Amino acid sequence: MAVDLHLHSVFSDGSETPSVIVDMAARVGLTGIALTDHDNLDGVPEAAAAAAAAGIAFVPGTEISVNWASGPMHLLIYFLEPGEGPLQDRLEEIRAGRANRNTQIVDRLRSLGIEIDFDEVLAEAGGTGVGRPHFAAVLVRMGCVADVRDAFDRYLAKGRPGFVDQKHLDAEEAIALARASGAVPVIAHPHTLGLVAADYAAAFEYLAAVGLGGIEAYYAEYPLEMRRHLAGLCENLALVATGGSDFHGSYKPGLAVGRGYGDLVVPDMALEELRSARGGGSQGAEGPAR
Ligand code: AMP
Ligand code: FE
Ligand code: FE
Ligand code: ZN
């Protein structure tokens, strides 16, 4: 019995609709999923309805980038419900910052002699949730780069000439806002934190003390021993070991919902433990079983 707690749809930088993702999850026999589009909850109603119809447990979520001492951190925020709330309200500011950054990326690419048209990027994104992968896809179509990866390597990744940074919340503030919103914050793909493995335990212990709820231990890109190592750290610190594929459809080729690169198994216990980790937030411990 397996789940997938890290999925991107057309509402951010995935290529598939929430309904199609739910179909894919049902086909591989998953018992639960979380939708984790970047910076928004716009796909939650569609995903929740499709999951209910398919008899799959559903967790509303989002993925945000935050500042952290050793490097950028992505936080998965689980059980964040659409509507108003301490973190929900800040997501609006984050989306405004993203829109502003997107405009600056266009200017930057144009200053490099690449006549990219933002309307085409917007169309690539389906009108909403524009992210760098959409710029990458347009650059591929323009013949400027070979593929999405090449677009990041040459232009869009941090340190490359088309990269524009954006203001982010600090990790501690984001964690507090998530908790105040009745949600559970979890560190996504911890290898991106810029920490050596020996420093993981101390960092996680510090973050657990300020409200972190879990670590994405069962990440598709990780070898089995790394998944096990991270799950062990979670056990020691009473954190939930979560996991997922980080499915983006055609924007991240080779990844399958639930299965990752073929060997992913996220135990369904992860979803149950996440539910328990909601604790006494504003939504209460006994939230709707969705
Ligand atoms: P954004 O949120 O617009 O800054 O875009 C970040 C997204 O771009 C990530 O969530 C990934 O989906 C994708 N991404 C980031 N770095 C790379 C990379 N080096 N190669 C391919 N995709 C990447
Ligand atoms: Fe993404
Ligand atoms: Fe991420
Ligand atoms: Zn992701």
Side-chain angles (χ1 to χ4, degrees), residues 3-6 78 186 215-220 241-245 264 266 270:
V3 297
D4 190 334
L5 304 176
H6 193 159
Y78 292 114
V186 168
I215 306 283
E216 190 172 50
Y218 307 99
Y219 190 62
T242 72
S245 60
L264 184 68
V266 183

Side-chain angles (χ1 to χ4, degrees), residues 8 13 38 63 74 98 101-102 130-133 148-149 152-153 157 248 251-252:
H8 296 270
D13 54 0
H38 300 287
E63 182 178 18
H74 287 188
R98 168 180 289 275
R101 183 219 49 178
N102 289 340
V130 174
R132 283 180 285 161
V148 167
R149 175 147 295 272
F152 273 90
D153 289 349
H248 283 71
Y251 293 102
K252 254 191 165 187

